[in-house]
Amino acid sequence: MKKYFTKWSMAIALGLGLSTNLAASYQVETIAGSSSDADDVDGRGNAARFSLPQMLSIDSSGNLYVPDVNRSLSWEQYYPIRKITTSGSVYNVSTLGYVSHGLDFPATTTTLYKGNILVADSFGSIGIIDEHGNKADIRSGSWGYNAANFVVDAGDNIYFTDSGQNYVGLITSTGAVSTFVNGLNAPQGITMDTFGNLYVTNSGDNTIKKITPTGTISTIAGISGSSGSVDGDGLTAATFNNPLGIAIDASGNLYVADQGNNTIRKLTNNAGTYSVSTIAGLAGSSGSSDGIGSAARFNAPTGLAVDVLGYIYVSDTNNNTIRKLFCSVEVDFTTGAHFSGPVTGEIKFVGNDSDAVCTFDGSATQNVQVTKGKISMSSSAPIATGA
């Protein structure tokens, strides 16, 4: 008998029963950098070095882009934009000098904007860097402005948060700059769903805002003026502590880097209302440990991105590392169970005589290894196991 697993669905039937005891959590691993050393060394994975990585972004191929700060080269400050490829290689794609380029402290980057890299700084300047390292300003900043993060829509229009001036701005594809909405409180992270709605971390009052394409603002999670780490209903119970990076997955769920709590929060989309849960880290505890759920530790997580397979990437700023989160599901089938679940992540089956662990990472390479009590798989194409 063979069991087939595909990129889109998985089903395993074991034992006689149809009920299951299922507990889902997120595994956290460090994929680049070292918490014991800050630098701008290129390399692969943990051999690379970062220094206070900020907001990060991801392109359609799964490459990450991260601005580094806290650099000095003789008398001139310089701030590299780092690229992390899907194979784990880290290297500089641009070095922004304070004098030569006019950008100070790049706060965020995004990619695939007309084939170039989009960068912003703490004075509100926004510029484009081409493949040759040439920079062109598309918005000039000044003291008191701070372009914190931005998102680009399908029409190449740029929406950006300005935490210094408390608004979301708009730069059209033709370069016209305007204010999209006012009345926010230190907005930081921004993301967009397929309907054109924006979602913003309103860090000054510890809330998450939704902004419709017509500019209507509403709170979807957090209690204005209250900081905390409470999970629960988005509007009546959940609290945040300086939420920064935000990203959205294909199902409309939101993920937030809750920097003041050193945690990663999930806003599960329930037909337009949201329930908030802590999926990694422990509020009130900082550190650099990898692990599952609350066993993992962060130190001032800032940027956050989600790829097409649902993997979550976090720039763990004060640890000088980039972290990866993926789903881990544990099923107890001691009395028999049937389970259908995701392919991205890890699934553990615990039985009377042996355990089976099925790991799916969404890669195109098929790899099946069967040992006593353990089955490990990784594939984005169908895999048949068993005889």
Side-chain angles (χ1 to χ4, degrees):
M1 176 181 177
K2 294 182 180 293
K3 305 179 182 72
Y4 289 90
F5 303 86
T6 72
K7 181 178 180 181
W8 305 112
S9 64
M10 182 193 71
I12 296 179
L14 292 166
L16 300 175
L18 294 177
S19 62
T20 181
N21 179 15
L22 184 151
S25 56
Y26 282 79
Q27 174 75 43
V28 180
E29 63 180 16
T30 301
I31 62 169
S34 171
S35 61
S36 62
D37 188 16
D39 209 328
D40 66 348
V41 177
D42 293 341
R44 184 181 295 274
N46 301 124
R49 294 292 182 268
F50 297 85
S51 181
L52 302 180
Q54 299 295 302
M55 293 284 191
L56 82 171
S57 61
I58 192 166
D59 67 20
S60 59
S61 298
N63 302 300
L64 296 168
Y65 297 82
V66 186
D68 251 352
V69 301
N70 196 26
R71 297 281 187 268
S72 63
L73 181 63
S74 65
W75 58 274
E76 183 181 3
Q77 296 292 314
Y78 74 104
Y79 309 98
I81 306 298
R82 318 293 295 284
K83 180 177 181 177
I84 307 171
T85 69
T86 55
S87 64
S89 295
V90 180
Y91 60 91
N92 291 354
V93 293
S94 180
T95 299
L96 303 179
Y98 176 79
V99 175
S100 60
H101 290 280
L103 274 172
D104 178 31
F105 188 59
T108 186
T109 66
T110 191
T111 59
L112 299 181
Y113 181 70
K114 300 181 179 180
N116 301 308
I117 297 174
L118 197 63
V119 295
D121 69 20
S122 59
F123 289 139
S125 297
I126 297 176
I128 296 173
I129 302 173
D130 66 21
E131 60 182 339
H132 304 294
N134 301 312
K135 186 184 83 65
D137 288 329
I138 58 176
R139 184 214 189 206
S140 297
S142 61
W143 192 265
Y145 290 78
N146 183 7
N149 198 207
F150 33 58
V151 64
V152 181
D153 70 13
D156 283 335
N157 301 297
I158 304 166
Y159 294 86
F160 64 91
T161 54
D162 192 312
S163 59
Q165 298 299 309
N166 299 311
Y167 71 90
V168 171
L170 169 63
I171 304 173
T172 67
S173 58
T174 60
V177 183
S178 63
T179 298
F180 184 60
V181 294
N182 276 307
L184 298 172
N185 190 344
Q188 296 282 343
I190 186 170
T191 192
M192 177 182 286
D193 66 19
T194 56
F195 302 102
N197 298 300
L198 299 172
Y199 300 88
V200 174
T201 53
N202 207 39
S203 64
D205 72 353
N206 295 308
T207 59
I208 312 301
K209 300 291 189 181
K210 177 182 178 179
I211 306 171
T212 68
T214 59
T216 301
I217 304 173
S218 60
T219 300
I220 61 170
I223 300 173
S224 181
S226 297
S227 64
S229 58
V230 176
D231 290 336
D233 180 78
L235 291 177
T236 63
T239 53
F240 297 85
N241 188 356
N242 194 32
L244 293 182
I246 187 170
I248 192 168
D249 68 16
S251 299
N253 303 306
L254 296 164
Y255 303 85
V256 173
D258 198 2
Q259 189 182 75
N261 282 322
N262 291 310
T263 56
I264 307 303
R265 315 289 292 278
K266 180 179 181 179
L267 282 67
T268 301
N269 186 357
N270 304 308
T273 62
Y274 296 86
S275 57
V276 179
S277 59
T278 301
I279 61 173
L282 182 65
S285 297
S286 63
S288 59
S289 300
D290 290 341
I292 296 177
S294 60
R297 294 291 183 270
F298 298 87
N299 193 348
T302 299
L304 192 148
V306 178
D307 70 13
V308 294
L309 295 173
Y311 290 119
I312 304 165
Y313 300 89
V314 178
S315 53
D316 198 2
T317 300
N318 285 352
N319 276 326
N320 303 305
T321 56
I322 308 301
R323 317 289 291 279
K324 178 180 180 180
L325 284 69
F326 56 92
C327 186
S328 176
V329 180
E330 186 169 293
V331 181
D332 184 347
F333 63 94
T334 303
T335 59
H338 177 276
F339 172 70
S340 179
V343 167
T344 300
E346 181 177 274
I347 299 173
K348 298 180 179 179
F349 298 88
V350 182
N352 288 326
D353 300 321
S354 64
D355 297 346
V357 179
C358 303
T359 302
F360 299 83
D361 66 1
S363 70
T365 302
Q366 294 186 5
N367 181 19
V368 181
Q369 179 180 0
V370 180
T371 59
K372 183 178 180 180
K374 183 174 181 179
I375 308 172
S376 296
M377 311 174 204
S378 62
S379 178
S380 60
I383 293 179
T385 65

